Amino acid sequence: RWIKFEEKVEDGGERWSMPHIPALLLHSLFELRTCLQKGTVLLDLDAYSIKEIIDKALSGQPEEWALQPELKDCLAALLLRQPQHRATKSPLQTLAELSLSPCRGKAKNCPQHKAQLSETPLKEQLRNQFKKKLPPGAEVANVMAGEVDFLKKPFTIFVRLREVVVLGSLTEVALPSRFLFILLGPQAKEKAYHEIGRAMATLLTDELFQRIARQAEKREDLIAGIDEFLDELIVLPPGKWDPSARIPPPSCLPSPYKRISMHLREWKSHCNGSTAAAEDRPDLGHPYFSEELERTGRLFGGLLRDIRRKAPWYRSDFSDALHIQCLSAVLYIYLATVTNAITFGGMLGDATANMQGVLESFLGTAFAGSIFCLFSGQPLTILSSTGPVLVFERLLFSFSKDYSLDYLEFRLWIGLWVAFFGLVLVATEASHLVQYFTRFTEEGFCALISLIFIYDSLKKMLSLAEAFPINWQYRTNDVTFYSCSCNLSSPGTDLSPSWGMQSTGQRLPVLALGLHVLLPQPLFPTCSLPASPQPPAALAGLSRTQCLGQGGHLLGTSCQYVPDIALLSFLLFGGTFLCCTALKRFKSSRYFPTGIRKLVSDFSIILAILIFCAIDVALGLETPKLLVPSELKPTNPTRGWIVFPFEANPWWVCLAAAVPAVLVTILIFMDQQITAVILNRREYKLQKGAGFHLDLLCVSLLMIVTSVMGLPWYVSATVISLAHMESLRKESTTSAPGEQPEFLGIREQRLTGLAVFILTGVSVFMAPILKYIPMPVLYGVFLHMGVMALNSIQFTDRVLLLLMPAKHQPDLPYLRHVPLHRVHLFTFIQVLCLAVLWVLKSTAAAIIFPVMV
């Protein structure tokens, strides 16, 4: 059988082979051409059953090829016999048949099937699960070839029906048929007939020949279609390959529309010699619709056009989210957003003396993200605090402290000015400048943000190794020396070795702790202690927290010993990353049905998190956990939830704030629009359009609210937004065996982002649940996000080309048209610029890095 590729019934007739590219004998194509020239061709035949088709085909023979009546009867009886289909069976069905079928393994002794064709489909056809593999609107072409002992010469018929008809039980699945090809002949040429039948089946699965066969008006048109096929045929020389080898299908196929359009141009004689090269050349045009970036010349013209473009889709932005895939996206992005909010909130707290902390980060993320998802032009964007904004906050706080200014009030005026400048940019349609952002700019920005994610995740893990050092001093032979004591006296008091007894006989309040710790040398002699009673307080015992809480201090170098938390943390970190990657690729594996593979791939991140959370709980070590605020009050008790504009600072601050606001405006504009450009690439096949002006308006208005409430400022987060889009990829559910699922686009909707930010806001009330998630697991997810974003850009492929010998380089489209040294030069310049940006972002000048991009 053929769908796009050939499948054969293996020896024994029990299973279908793997799909493979059909390898035809060149002679069989010439024989097929001869059969169509000499045989019967019936185009647009009016028939509605297989019996009617055969009757008309046998009676429509030309006089010179007319068959005798008895031969017609034999042929009709033969062609109306029920064929034996090899249905695809599940493992459970196979096991059931092995236990129930008495003829299994004795096919030669089993009775032959002599039933006649049924006019209606059989139950087996209707229940055939193979139908799920076929795309909507699929049709069947039937090819019957074989040898008989009552014919003296070949009998050939090609039929094209005027209307598609379900031919009863003839086909494997109950689908309508349009084409029927019959080739029967005398014995001794069975293999030749079989190869001719394979050639016809291969032709009927070719898109170009299908088009010709549907439009053919006479026999010569079909012959011309075979000639077109032969013109594109590539012959493999004998002796240079194994004809019995099955060539696996390629990972991607050229578009059939390109072949069809070139065929039509050739028919119209408009094809020139450079057409093929131009078709093969990658598209160098701008990857966005010009209508979205054109200037209208009117104030707020681009904004109004964005609103008119997005308004008709608003209802479907919610209904399109009713899919199980959206649930996995919500859980995945929620955990990434919470981790990001905690990370940036902690750094903001350190930079601003807790004027903005983790709680402000949570509330700001929830509020700004929810509003943006409801009213923005591209709701797939995820808002977050970014590195340049953090650098600006640190510089602004230091400046305010040095000049005795109120930080939040000064920041309020800067935010108001930024919002005003943003509205001016929206009114003047400044977003049309994004059309000048090139691949160089996009890839440099995306690569930098991805590397920052990777670097930060590794940096966090190294900081855990410092906080929970690995116990390198452990020696099995010294296990009897391990102890730790709590001294409630002043640290400088001298202790005697006899349970706190000084030489004067005065007893010190020293408490022995029941801690299993390590000491490289024994703290107290174990064989020369006099028999003296222990201190009364030692009987009660104090924990480390109780000891330090009562003003005591721990004695012994091993008191700082922690179980091997760092080692387990690195195992959780690396295991989560590898598990996320493996489960994400599980969709393309060979195990389990397609539906299960896709479900596992969609929930890969959540499954990885659950697996390693369970491992952490099972081992029971106190790894650092995800801690979220549990109270709704400002991190710094000296501030409130509303910042008043005229309270502590001089009046001229409101005017002076316009100067730093210009820099922040450039930062926000570049950061927001570069991310928007990356998310609206043509390869994502977005159907609902972009909204560059509307997005910038939402970000500008949110600057007002977040500044008034003293919350962090937010712009689009590149890596998390890309991860959001990747988690919502749509692929065709019906793909032919051997065919890769077709990428259909992104599930564009507003509900996943809205749910993510609402969950972020209520995370304050979910602290008892979230505290079981280890931070190394979330850092592993961050590493996965950074690596996935880095692999999504062409820059990564070109960097790898620098390390490959030319003979091992993949056949990439741009390598066919651009000299290799030019590709390497372009990549080297990108790497150099990326290094400069990395150095820049590591200094106080990081605030201007979006401008440098």
Side-chain angles (χ1 to χ4, degrees):
R1 66 183 178 192
W2 282 254
I3 300 179
K4 280 186 175 294
F5 304 100
E6 183 180 17
E7 295 176 82
K8 295 180 179 179
V9 177
E10 303 284 19
D11 291 342
E14 300 301 327
R15 63 183 293 269
W16 288 100
S17 70
M18 291 293 293
H20 55 275
I21 298 174
L24 302 177
L25 297 175
L26 183 60
H27 187 69
S28 66
L29 288 168
F30 293 124
E31 290 281 353
L32 175 61
R33 192 176 187 277
T34 303
C35 290
L36 291 181
Q37 285 177 332
K38 298 182 178 180
T40 302
V41 176
L42 302 176
L43 302 177
D44 295 333
L45 181 67
D46 285 317
Y48 300 95
S49 68
I50 183 63
K51 187 176 186 305
E52 187 177 359
I53 293 173
I54 293 174
D55 289 342
K56 291 187 176 183
L58 293 177
S59 61
Q61 293 284 315
E63 293 184 2
E64 62 272 19
W65 298 100
L67 297 173
Q68 299 177 0
E70 58 272 14
L71 290 181
K72 289 184 179 180
D73 295 339
C74 291
L75 282 174
L78 177 64
L79 295 174
L80 290 175
R81 186 176 298 176
Q82 173 66 43
Q84 295 187 28
H85 297 298
R86 305 295 178 185
T88 304
K89 300 173 183 176
S90 67
L92 290 178
Q93 289 176 322
T94 304
L95 290 174
E97 291 183 2
L98 282 173
S99 60
L100 298 177
S101 176
C103 295
R104 183 69 58 182
K106 302 177 182 179
K108 294 183 179 180
N109 299 325
C110 289
Q112 297 296 321
H113 204 297
K114 299 292 185 179
Q116 294 295 306
L117 277 171
S118 173
E119 295 292 333
T120 58
L122 303 176
K123 291 188 296 183
E124 291 79 4
Q125 292 174 277
L126 299 175
R127 291 199 302 255
N128 196 335
Q129 298 298 314
F130 186 70
K131 190 174 182 179
K132 294 181 179 180
K133 295 283 187 181
L134 306 178
E139 298 176 357
V140 179
N142 302 280
V143 177
M144 294 183 280
E147 61 175 15
V148 291
D149 55 2
F150 53 83
L151 287 178
K152 301 300 183 183
K153 57 185 178 181
F155 172 79
T156 306
I157 296 179
F158 180 86
V159 177
R160 185 187 70 199
L161 300 176
R162 184 181 298 275
E163 301 290 340
V164 291
V165 176
V166 177
L167 298 179
S169 60
L170 176 65
T171 57
E172 182 181 352
V173 290
L175 289 176
S177 299
R178 183 181 298 275
F179 296 102
L180 183 68
F181 178 75
I182 301 172
L183 174 60
L184 296 174
Q187 294 180 351
K189 286 192 175 182
E190 179 183 2
K191 185 175 181 181
Y193 300 144
H194 177 74
E195 292 299 324
I196 295 172
R198 289 184 62 243
M200 174 54 76
T202 304
L203 278 171
L204 289 173
T205 57
D206 180 72
E207 291 85 358
L208 182 55
F209 184 82
Q210 281 182 24
R211 183 183 181 89
I212 295 173
R214 289 172 183 271
Q215 299 176 352
E217 298 180 355
K218 51 188 177 180
R219 183 195 307 267
E220 287 71 19
D221 294 337
L222 294 175
I223 305 301
I226 296 180
D227 293 338
E228 290 281 348
F229 185 84
L230 289 171
D231 287 342
E232 296 186 54
L233 197 64
I234 298 175
V235 178
L236 295 176
K240 303 300 182 183
W241 71 296
D242 183 6
S244 64
R246 293 171 179 171
I247 306 174
S251 57
C252 60
L253 293 170
S255 171
Y257 303 107
K258 181 187 295 186
R259 292 180 58 216
I260 294 174
S261 60
M262 290 185 63
H263 169 72
L264 293 176
R265 284 198 298 270
E266 289 175 359
W267 272 22
K268 295 178 181 178
S269 301
H270 292 313
C271 179
N272 55 46
S274 62
T275 301
E279 291 279 349
D280 191 36
R281 191 179 303 275
D283 185 16
L284 301 178
H286 199 271
Y288 312 104
F289 300 107
S290 58
E291 188 266 339
E292 297 173 352
L293 299 173
E294 287 179 355
R295 300 193 64 177
T296 63
R298 302 187 304 272
L299 286 178
F300 296 101
L303 174 64
L304 295 176
R305 191 162 53 187
D306 283 352
I307 295 174
R308 286 194 296 267
R309 184 188 309 113
K310 302 297 292 187
W313 299 102
Y314 198 77
R315 173 179 288 184
S316 67
D317 282 343
F318 294 91
S319 60
D320 289 349
L322 302 178
H323 192 275
I324 187 65
Q325 186 182 24
C326 294
L327 176 61
S328 67
V330 167
L331 297 176
Y332 171 29
I333 302 303
Y334 162 67
L335 291 174
T337 304
V338 166
T339 307
N340 199 51
I342 290 176
T343 302
F344 276 98
M347 290 189 290
L348 272 174
D350 295 338
T352 62
N354 285 330
M355 286 297 179
Q356 298 179 76
V358 176
L359 182 63
E360 287 80 6
S361 180
F362 266 74
L363 296 181
T365 301
F367 173 77
S370 300
I371 298 300
F372 189 86
C373 286
L374 284 173
F375 302 108
S376 67
Q378 183 48 271
L380 296 174
T381 304
I382 301 296
L383 295 190
S384 172
S385 295
T386 60
V389 173
L390 177 64
V391 172
F392 178 82
E393 297 278 12
R394 181 181 291 111
L395 295 176
L396 180 62
F397 182 80
S398 299
F399 180 84
S400 302
K401 186 177 179 180
D402 293 341
Y403 291 92
S404 301
L405 298 175
D406 185 272
Y407 161 69
L408 291 179
E409 186 179 327
F410 191 18
R411 182 178 179 275
L412 167 63
W413 282 110
I414 294 176
L416 295 177
W417 277 110
V418 171
F420 171 74
F421 293 146
L423 291 176
V424 171
L425 293 176
V426 174
T428 57
E429 301 179 295
S431 295
H432 84 284
L433 295 173
V434 303
Q435 62 185 318
Y436 300 110
F437 292 169
T438 62
R439 176 185 290 273
F440 188 96
T441 304
E442 297 172 29
E443 291 186 343
F445 184 81
C446 186
L448 180 63
I449 302 300
S450 302
L451 289 174
I452 289 175
F453 259 68
I454 297 172
Y455 172 77
D456 285 346
S457 62
L458 296 174
K459 182 180 178 182
K460 289 289 184 182
M461 290 305 302
L462 293 177
S463 67
L464 286 182
E466 295 177 0
F468 304 99
I470 296 177
N471 181 29
W472 302 107
Q473 289 80 23
Y474 178 82
R475 297 293 182 270
T476 306
N477 191 48
D478 297 339
V479 68
T480 56
F481 302 148
Y482 301 155
S483 62
C484 183
S485 300
C486 173
N487 185 9
L488 294 180
S489 66
S490 60
T493 304
D494 186 25
L495 294 177
S496 70
S498 57
W499 292 111
M501 295 295 294
Q502 286 187 333
S503 59
T504 59
Q506 182 182 2
R507 186 180 299 277
L508 291 176
V510 178
L511 309 181
L513 297 183
L515 301 177
H516 295 283
V517 296
L518 302 180
L519 287 175
Q521 298 295 332
L523 181 62
F524 303 110
T526 58
C527 57
S528 60
L529 289 176
S532 60
Q534 292 188 3
L539 300 177
L542 294 179
S543 68
R544 179 180 183 275
T545 304
Q546 290 172 336
C547 176
L548 298 178
Q550 294 185 20
H553 62 279
L554 302 176
L555 295 178
T557 57
S558 295
C559 290
Q560 302 302 321
Y561 165 67
V562 188
D564 291 332
I565 291 177
L567 180 60
L568 177 60
S569 297
F570 273 97
L571 292 176
L572 294 176
F573 171 73
T576 303
F577 168 71
L578 295 176
C579 188
C580 288
T581 305
L583 292 179
K584 198 69 180 176
R585 296 176 179 174
F586 187 70
K587 180 170 53 179
S588 58
S589 71
R590 299 184 179 184
Y591 304 102
F592 299 102
T594 304
I596 295 178
R597 295 202 308 267
K598 189 175 187 306
L599 191 65
V600 170
S601 179
D602 289 342
F603 285 86
S604 57
I605 310 300
I606 305 304
L607 289 174
I609 292 174
L610 292 177
I611 289 171
F612 284 91
C613 285
I615 293 175
D616 177 74
V617 171
L619 295 178
L621 292 183
E622 295 181 358
T623 52
K625 299 296 192 297
L626 175 63
L627 299 178
V628 298
S630 56
E631 295 180 342
L632 287 173
K633 62 180 182 181
T635 306
N636 192 319
T638 62
R639 58 154 291 184
W641 286 118
I642 301 296
V643 180
F644 297 96
F646 300 101
E647 194 170 61
N649 292 337
W651 65 269
W652 50 265
V653 171
C654 64
L655 301 178
V659 178
V662 173
L663 187 59
V664 178
T665 302
I666 297 174
L667 185 153
I668 296 294
F669 179 82
M670 296 295 292
D671 212 346
Q672 170 66 34
Q673 299 297 54
I674 291 177
T675 302
V677 164
I678 294 172
L679 296 182
N680 289 282
R681 289 172 178 166
R682 179 184 297 176
E683 53 260 37
Y684 286 123
K685 298 183 180 180
L686 300 179
Q687 301 297 319
K688 300 182 180 180
F692 295 99
H693 309 281
L694 185 55
D695 289 347
L696 186 58
L697 175 69
C698 291
V699 171
S700 301
L701 295 179
L702 286 172
M703 289 288 292
I704 300 176
V705 181
T706 53
S707 299
V708 170
M709 296 186 66
L711 302 176
W713 292 329
Y714 294 95
V715 292
S716 298
T718 308
V719 172
I720 301 181
S721 299
L722 283 173
H724 188 206
M725 296 190 71
E726 287 294 325
S727 66
L728 294 170
R729 290 172 64 94
K730 293 190 299 183
E731 294 181 341
S732 58
T733 56
T734 56
S735 57
E739 181 186 21
Q740 297 295 325
E742 180 185 0
F743 173 61
L744 303 178
I746 304 296
R747 203 172 298 279
E748 301 174 64
Q749 36 72 46
R750 299 178 184 270
L751 201 55
T752 54
L754 183 62
V756 164
F757 292 114
I758 291 176
L759 287 174
T760 303
V762 302
S763 294
V764 175
F765 308 104
M766 297 194 303
I769 301 174
L770 297 178
K771 69 180 181 180
Y772 291 104
I773 302 178
M775 290 304 295
V777 170
L778 297 180
Y779 295 149
V781 174
F782 264 49
L783 178 63
H784 172 75
M785 292 168 57
V787 171
M788 290 291 290
L790 197 61
N791 289 336
S792 68
I793 56 178
Q794 189 192 91
F795 169 74
T796 307
D797 296 332
R798 286 187 278 105
V799 170
L800 295 178
L801 287 178
L802 294 171
L803 309 176
M804 292 184 190
K807 65 179 180 179
H808 295 302
Q809 292 174 353
D811 185 20
L812 299 171
Y814 52 84
L815 292 181
R816 296 184 179 185
H817 308 288
V818 183
L820 185 60
H821 71 276
R822 301 278 301 198
V823 175
H824 288 339
L825 177 62
F826 183 80
T827 307
F828 177 76
I829 295 174
Q830 272 190 307
V831 172
L832 185 63
C833 293
L834 185 61
V836 173
L837 288 175
W838 185 271
V839 173
L840 185 67
K841 77 97 186 169
S842 302
T843 64
I847 189 174
I848 64 171
F849 112 86
V851 182
M852 298 295 293
V853 173

